[in-house]
């Protein structure tokens, strides 16, 4: 195994550190949850399509026989399903840039990972040097960084000079010194002359050779960086999520109120604030906190001086939220309806029998009636349920005495309306003819008749009346919502 690869950017210092939180530690996800997330994130049709595209596009690049057999095996395991054909989507012809892009392929993924790992060293070099700079390993370098930050904070126009100066100092000057190296220390010289022809070839950046120590150093740092990202992601979510997801509505409402007021104030008065001073203060404070002595001082005095103030501030905030954030508004209430349907036995003078309770009145010219469908609903009153997410606000159903109002509101035709008594809305005999005419596409007469329930008027086969009941929105606590989300 080679010790290192010449002219390759590789972090040969200490490994990239991994971050841990004392309360949570490094995340160790459950294998079952990982398996379920993998099933949700990968579409079978897309996966097979990508495997086929990848195998076809890379068949001539020299993949091993084992890789090709694995690709063929996955193509046979994953069922065929073209999502574009299922959803009737047109092919994407926006640009030839997107045509011929290789899909997912395990051999291609392996090859790309090797190439990526050979070239990612420059990122880890920058990360390591930045950590050394911010942790005061070399105080003169950190003080130089503070000087540069001070100039930029006091004169923000110098920010345009920063990338040009960085290109000169970190790209052009080192490249020139490679071609004009200093003489060896064995040769006595009074000054380092940069005149004359180049003495060395130009430096070219090469990827780290596979199976070299630099290659495995990159894998080590990549592994630690992935763990850092996962730990930081979980830690940030643990801090930000509780006050912002309205699991505690009082706390989230206070945060919303603070953000709203701050937005309004800054929108009006942002030009009056000394932003240069604030940025300078933030820059010096953030870099100074990386000094080991200051960190040790803060750790030693946190329990004695900072934690008591945290408790008092938290108690004051909780008291203010409990006193000023009022969330005792009554839940939303609405009225729901159901229709009691009865059907006549025998002829036009037969007795009525209870049929069912339906959400629709099943009037003579309703779409269900014209289509010849039977009414849908529940057999008994007790089986009528509240809508999903709602609960009953009253103890029992109430008969709607305004039969004329809801008939006129729904433009129900071909019925007799009882304005007294049991408030039945009964089909007229002519309604049967109207239904037949509607089925044939003929024009149907409109209107309804008023009755008092005592007249013996020939009627149709169906009658109905409307029952109403109040429902209110069902409240869900934050803990219940979190547990239901985890279970789903």
């Amino acid at each position: 195994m080679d010790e290192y690869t010449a002219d390759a950017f590789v972090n040969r210092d200490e490994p990239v550190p991994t971050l841990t939180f004392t309360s949570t530690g490094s995340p160790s996800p459950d294998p079952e949850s990982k398996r379920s997330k993998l099933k949700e994130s990968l579409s079978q049709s897309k996966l097979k399509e990508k495997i086929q595209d990848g195998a076809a596009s890379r068949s001539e690049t020299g993949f091993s026989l084992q890789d090709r057999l694995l690709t063929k095996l996955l193509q046979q395991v994953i069922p065929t399903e073209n999502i574009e054909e299922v959803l009737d989507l047109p092919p994407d012809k926006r640009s030839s840039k997107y045509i011929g892009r290789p899909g997912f392929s395990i051999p291609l993924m392996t090859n790309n990972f090797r190439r990526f790992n050979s070239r990612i060293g420059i990122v880890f070099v920058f990360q390591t040097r930045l950590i050394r700079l911010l942790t005061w390993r070399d105080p003169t370098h950190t003080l130089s960084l503070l000087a540069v930050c001070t100039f930029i904070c006091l004169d923000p126009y110098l920010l345009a000079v920063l990338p040009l100066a960085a290109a000169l100092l970190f790209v052009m000057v080192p490249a020139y010194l490679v071609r004009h190296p200093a003489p060896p220390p064995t040769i006595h010289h009074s000054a380092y002359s940069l005149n004359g022809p180049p003495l060395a070839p130009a430096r070219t950046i090469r990827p780290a050779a596979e199976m070299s120590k630099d290659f495995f150093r990159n894998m080590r740092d990549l592994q630690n960086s992935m763990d850092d990202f996962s730990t930081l992601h979980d830690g940030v979510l643990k801090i930000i999520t509780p006050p912002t997801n309205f699991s505690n509505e009082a706390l989230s409402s206070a945060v919303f109120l603070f953000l709203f007021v701050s937005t309004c104030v800054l929108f009006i008065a942002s030009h009056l604030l000394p932003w240069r001073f604030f940025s300078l203060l933030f820059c010096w404070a953030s870099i100074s906190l990386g000094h080991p002595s200051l960190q040790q001082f803060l750790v030693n005095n946190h329990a004695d001086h900072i934690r008591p103030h945290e408790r008092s501030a938290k108690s004051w905030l909780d008291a203010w939220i409990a006193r000023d954030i009022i969330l005792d508004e009554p839940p939303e209430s609405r009225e729901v309806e159901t229709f009691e349907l009865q059907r006549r036995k025998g002829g036009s003078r037969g007795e009525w029998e209870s049929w069912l309770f339906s959400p629709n009145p099943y009037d003579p010219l309703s779409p269900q009636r014209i289509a010849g469908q039977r009414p849908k609903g529940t057999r008994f009153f007790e089986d009528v349920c509240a809508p999903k997410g709602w609960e009953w606000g009253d103890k029992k159903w109430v008969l709607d005495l305004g039969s004329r109002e809801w008939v006129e509101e729904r433009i129900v035709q071909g019925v007799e309306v009882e304005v007294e008594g049991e408030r039945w809305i009964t089909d007229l005999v002519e309604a049967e003819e109207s239904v037949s005419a509607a089925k044939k596409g003929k024009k149907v007469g409109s209107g309804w008749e008023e009755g008092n329930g005592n007249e013996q008027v020939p009627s149709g086969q169906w009658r109905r009346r409307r029952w109403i009941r109040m429902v209110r929105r069902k409240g869900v606590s934050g803990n219940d919502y979190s547990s239901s989300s985890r279970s789903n």
Side-chain angles (χ1 to χ4, degrees):
M1 182 182 293
D2 298 335
E3 180 65 24
Y4 63 90
T5 302
D7 298 333
F9 281 103
V10 179
N11 176 29
R12 300 189 181 95
D13 294 334
E14 64 271 13
V16 172
T18 58
L19 304 178
T20 57
F21 294 137
T22 55
S23 58
T24 58
S26 298
S28 56
D30 185 17
E32 295 296 332
S33 63
K34 291 172 62 179
R35 190 178 297 110
S36 62
K37 291 180 180 179
L38 183 61
K39 290 179 180 179
E40 294 175 358
S41 61
L42 291 180
S43 170
Q44 293 180 348
S45 60
K46 286 294 183 183
L47 185 59
K48 182 167 185 178
E49 180 183 354
K50 292 177 180 178
I51 291 175
Q52 292 174 347
D53 293 342
S57 60
R58 294 293 179 175
S59 59
E60 299 179 359
T61 56
F63 284 148
S64 64
L65 179 62
Q66 181 181 359
D67 294 338
R68 296 181 183 179
L69 289 177
L70 182 59
T71 302
K72 293 295 184 181
L73 178 62
L74 289 177
Q75 293 177 5
Q76 297 298 325
V77 170
I78 300 174
T80 304
E81 179 184 1
N82 192 347
I83 193 66
E84 293 183 354
E85 295 179 358
V86 173
L87 299 180
D88 195 17
L89 297 177
D92 188 4
K93 298 181 179 180
R94 292 173 294 178
S95 173
S96 60
K97 176 182 178 181
Y98 300 98
I99 299 176
R101 281 282 189 177
F104 175 77
S105 172
I106 291 181
L108 185 58
M109 174 68 77
T110 305
N111 182 46
N112 288 344
F113 176 78
R114 292 198 300 263
R115 296 174 58 234
F116 174 80
N117 189 72
S118 300
R119 294 160 175 80
I120 194 62
I122 187 172
V123 177
F124 299 134
V125 170
F126 175 77
Q127 182 179 354
T128 303
R129 292 183 179 179
L130 184 62
I131 292 174
R132 294 170 64 91
L133 191 62
L134 297 178
T135 54
W136 295 76
R137 298 285 185 88
D138 193 340
T140 56
H141 293 174
T142 307
L143 291 175
S144 301
L145 175 63
L146 280 173
V148 173
C149 292
T150 302
F151 280 114
I152 294 176
C153 292
L154 295 179
D155 190 3
Y157 295 103
L158 293 178
L159 191 63
V161 183
L162 187 61
L164 302 178
L168 288 174
L169 295 177
F170 300 109
V171 177
M172 302 301 296
V173 173
Y176 184 83
L177 294 179
V178 167
R179 298 217 66 189
H180 299 268
T186 56
I187 300 178
H188 298 283
H189 57 89
S190 58
Y192 177 28
S193 177
L194 298 178
N195 299 326
L199 303 178
R203 181 186 180 184
T204 57
I205 300 176
R206 298 188 179 91
E210 295 185 11
M211 304 306 294
S212 64
K213 285 191 175 182
D214 288 340
F215 186 82
F216 286 98
R217 289 188 181 104
N218 287 344
M219 293 186 66
R220 172 203 64 194
D221 293 338
L222 183 60
Q223 158 199 289
N224 297 346
S225 297
M226 290 189 293
D227 184 68
D228 287 344
F229 176 81
S230 302
T231 306
L232 284 174
H233 178 272
D234 296 341
V236 170
L237 287 184
K238 184 179 179 182
I239 296 173
I240 295 179
T241 301
T244 56
N245 67 348
F246 285 87
S247 57
N248 184 353
E249 287 201 16
L251 178 59
S252 298
S253 299
V255 173
F256 177 85
L257 181 61
F258 171 76
L259 293 176
F260 178 76
V261 173
S262 301
T263 302
C264 295
V265 171
L266 290 178
F267 183 78
I268 297 173
S270 58
H271 64 286
L272 302 176
L273 298 178
W275 292 110
R276 296 182 180 182
F277 174 75
F278 289 159
S279 59
L280 180 63
L281 185 63
F282 173 78
C283 179
W284 274 79
S286 57
I287 296 178
S288 299
L289 287 175
H291 197 281
S293 301
L294 184 57
Q295 289 182 352
Q296 189 64 34
F297 174 78
L298 293 177
V299 170
N300 295 336
N301 294 275
H302 181 269
D304 299 333
H305 298 86
I306 300 178
R307 189 169 296 172
H309 294 287
E310 290 180 353
R311 296 195 192 98
S312 60
K314 186 177 184 301
S315 61
W316 176 84
L317 180 61
D318 293 340
W320 180 79
I321 291 175
R323 183 179 66 255
D324 294 342
I325 303 298
I326 301 175
L327 298 174
D328 57 352
E329 296 181 358
E332 180 184 0
S333 298
R334 291 191 179 184
E335 184 182 83
V336 294
E337 64 181 5
T338 187
F339 294 90
E340 180 185 0
L341 300 183
Q342 289 188 355
R343 186 180 183 185
R344 186 187 295 276
K345 290 184 184 179
S348 61
R349 302 291 181 179
E351 296 181 358
W352 295 98
E353 63 174 346
S354 297
W355 194 255
L356 50 76
F357 294 89
S358 173
N360 301 313
Y362 199 64
D363 58 278
L365 296 182
S366 63
Q368 288 180 331
R369 193 81 169 269
I370 295 176
Q373 300 176 359
R374 307 295 290 178
K376 298 179 181 180
T378 58
R379 183 67 176 170
F380 302 102
F381 224 154
E382 295 76 10
D383 296 335
V384 180
C385 301
K388 186 177 180 180
W390 298 76
E391 60 184 1
W392 296 121
D394 297 339
K395 293 184 179 180
K396 59 181 181 178
W397 290 88
V398 179
L399 178 63
D400 185 7
L401 302 179
S403 54
R404 178 188 298 177
E405 286 75 10
W406 71 262
V407 168
E408 292 179 347
E409 181 181 352
R410 293 173 180 265
I411 317 178
V412 178
Q413 302 172 2
V415 295
E416 177 188 4
V417 180
E418 289 186 8
V419 294
E420 298 178 358
E422 297 181 348
R423 303 305 197 272
W424 288 106
I425 311 299
T426 310
D427 294 348
L428 297 175
V429 176
E430 293 81 0
E432 304 295 338
E433 301 176 359
S434 300
V435 173
S436 301
K439 289 181 179 180
K440 297 177 181 179
K442 298 181 180 180
K443 185 177 179 181
V444 180
S446 61
W448 52 269
E449 297 182 3
E450 181 178 324
N452 56 12
N454 298 323
E455 302 175 1
Q456 298 296 327
V457 179
S459 57
Q461 194 178 15
W462 295 91
R463 70 176 184 176
R464 78 281 301 154
R465 58 180 175 178
R466 183 172 180 259
W467 295 83
I468 57 176
R469 192 174 180 180
M470 298 300 296
V471 292
R472 59 171 175 264
R473 183 80 70 176
K474 186 186 299 183
V476 179
S477 62
N479 296 331
D480 297 339
Y481 179 77
S482 300
S483 60
S484 63
S485 299
R486 287 194 296 267
S487 62
N488 293 334

